[in-house]
Amino acid sequence: MKKVIVTGVTGQVGSYMVEYLLKNTDFQIFGAIRRLSVPNHKNIEHIKNDRFKIIEMDLSDAHSINHCIEEIKPDFFINFAANSYVGFSWKMPINHFEVNTLAVMHQLESIRKHCPNCKYYNAGSSEEFGDVAYTPQDSNHPLRPRSPYGASKASARQIVKVWRDSYNLFAIQGWLFNHESERRGLEFVTRKITNKVAKIKKAIESGDSFEPLELGNMESKRDWSHAEDFVHGIWLMLNQESPKEYVLASGETHSVKEFVDIAFTEALGGSLVWRGAEKDTQLLYNDTVVVRVNPKFYRPAEVDLLLGDPSEAENGLEWKKSVDFSQLVSRMVRNDIEETNAT
């Protein structure tokens, strides 16, 4: 039985990957997690399968990484674990490089020593493109990050290339544009929006008071897809005859304001009115403010527009998204309404 290690299985993409592998392969799957005093296994607690086993691996500890790889000798290693909250990367830049870059080097070096035929995938990011030179962004776009997070991912990309070229490893880092889902963490803006929408809806229906949703740059544009669509593309990348990296994206760009508009319309229906512009933007529902801009949420350096070109993946991998932008937002809102009503 072939073996695969998936890191970051308590996150959204990692949990979807485990489900995908259980459904589409007969592999033994090892889900790597970091020991926490209060574990959060919400995204995987429903997975009950003899082929899925939790192991402990700390990405800040080279010995921990080497021990797991030496013991398991995986046929595939899929690295989703990362410090991935862009806004927080300015407050913890060194930690982002330790987890997002140095850990990749330790993984590759352990694979080189113990299982050089292992196929390795590291999750790249559209944030590597940062201050974009042209639109849409494809695999030839230069790396121009504008955040410590983006820089850590761009650095990891170079490490992957060096180990691939130097040791003939099957090692790739595909670019993932923004991917969201019902399992997205509450610290990310998309889930922050849908979770707050659900709470505001409940408060309005109950006649309770509530605080408006506060956001930063409403005009910031991103290329959003459902995380579940990306796991299929990643697996196709890993099963090529030779290593080649692709951009996974929807090929559409939408602003944070558009995301908010669809989310509140899904939850509250009509009677929504936008007022103001830029830092004075507000959304009103029946003359009550439900969204307002708070300048404290603006980043030191903003990436204003990200739009991926998925054509290479569509042609080379025969990959295509199945969930569009409106469906993504609606699914997230309905999920949070259900969870909020259950509490």
Side-chain angles (χ1 to χ4, degrees):
M1 183 181 292
K2 289 188 175 182
K3 295 171 286 187
V4 54
I5 293 177
V6 182
T7 69
V9 292
T10 57
Q12 57 163 357
V13 192
S15 63
Y16 283 122
M17 179 58 80
V18 170
E19 291 175 339
Y20 180 89
L21 293 172
L22 287 172
K23 180 179 178 181
N24 294 284
T25 75
D26 59 359
F27 293 1
Q28 179 72 48
I29 303 157
F30 297 87
I33 63 171
R34 178 168 58 94
R35 176 181 285 274
L36 298 171
S37 57
V38 182
N40 178 15
H41 295 176
K42 180 182 178 182
N43 286 340
I44 57 171
E45 61 187 9
H46 65 285
I47 302 176
K48 311 295 181 184
N49 193 296
D50 292 340
R51 290 193 288 119
F52 176 55
K53 180 182 179 181
I54 294 291
I55 60 171
E56 291 182 356
M57 179 192 295
D58 192 329
L59 295 194
S60 64
D61 186 339
H63 175 77
S64 171
I65 293 170
N66 185 73
H67 173 74
C68 289
I69 292 174
E70 181 180 17
E71 184 176 76
I72 296 171
K73 293 183 174 59
D75 298 280
F76 294 85
F77 191 109
I78 305 173
N79 186 42
F80 291 132
N83 274 339
S84 56
Y85 185 39
V86 178
F88 203 65
S89 69
W90 277 275
K91 296 180 180 179
M92 297 180 64
I94 294 174
N95 181 264
H96 275 69
F97 270 83
E98 288 177 343
V99 175
N100 298 353
T101 310
L102 289 181
V104 170
M105 185 184 296
H106 294 315
Q107 292 163 10
L108 289 167
E109 184 62 7
S110 296
I111 287 170
R112 181 188 71 82
K113 290 190 294 185
H114 304 301
C115 48
N117 292 322
C118 173
K119 290 188 170 184
Y120 177 85
Y121 175 87
N122 186 52
S125 170
S126 57
E127 292 287 331
E128 297 172 47
F129 298 137
D131 184 18
V132 299
Y134 59 82
T135 299
Q137 294 85 53
D138 56 23
S139 59
N140 295 313
H141 191 284
L143 305 182
R144 300 167 54 136
R146 283 176 62 82
S147 68
Y149 168 77
S152 72
K153 285 295 186 177
S155 299
R157 178 170 301 283
Q158 302 306 322
I159 294 298
V160 170
K161 182 182 185 302
V162 168
W163 257 251
R164 178 175 66 237
D165 294 346
S166 301
Y167 303 114
N168 197 32
L169 297 179
F170 190 111
I172 54 177
Q173 178 168 310
W175 290 271
L176 303 182
F177 275 68
N178 290 63
H179 44 287
E180 315 298 330
S181 74
E182 300 88 322
R183 300 178 186 177
R184 188 49 130 169
L186 291 171
E187 69 272 22
F188 291 86
V189 67
T190 51
R191 187 75 194 287
K192 176 183 177 181
I193 292 168
T194 60
N195 182 260
K196 185 67 174 180
V197 165
K199 291 180 177 178
I200 289 175
K201 175 181 172 63
K202 185 175 182 179
I204 290 173
E205 292 175 345
S206 302
D208 298 329
S209 60
F210 61 87
E211 289 296 317
L213 168 66
E214 294 189 336
L215 297 168
N217 184 4
M218 298 281 284
E219 302 306 321
S220 180
K221 293 183 177 180
R222 294 293 183 270
D223 183 325
W224 277 299
S225 298
H226 196 286
E228 204 167 13
D229 277 339
F230 280 6
V231 300
H232 178 55
I234 290 164
W235 190 240
L236 290 173
M237 265 188 257
L238 276 168
N239 283 277
Q240 300 173 100
E241 289 187 12
S242 57
K244 179 175 172 55
E245 297 166 330
Y246 289 90
V247 166
L248 296 183
S250 72
E252 301 176 4
T253 188
H254 299 275
S255 67
V256 173
K257 186 176 181 180
E258 287 179 82
F259 195 107
V260 170
D261 199 45
I262 293 174
F264 273 92
T265 300
E266 174 72 31
L268 301 178
S271 303
L272 292 163
V273 178
W274 288 99
R275 290 183 184 170
E278 298 182 349
K279 295 183 180 181
D280 294 320
T281 301
Q282 292 183 334
L283 178 63
L284 285 73
Y285 174 73
N286 289 337
D287 296 324
T288 299
V289 176
V290 292
V291 180
R292 65 185 173 209
V293 170
N294 187 332
K296 79 174 185 180
F297 293 118
Y298 276 69
R299 295 170 179 173
E302 183 63 78
V303 176
D304 294 317
L305 170 64
L306 287 173
L307 171 60
D309 181 356
S311 60
E312 284 184 285
E314 291 172 348
N315 295 326
L317 298 175
E318 297 185 356
W319 172 85
K320 196 171 184 179
K321 69 176 184 180
S322 63
V323 180
D324 67 25
F325 178 66
S326 294
Q327 291 170 331
L328 167 66
V329 180
S330 295
R331 281 176 57 167
M332 292 179 68
V333 170
R334 290 195 297 268
N335 176 77
D336 276 322
I337 289 173
E338 184 177 330
E339 288 193 0
T340 299
N341 290 339
T343 59

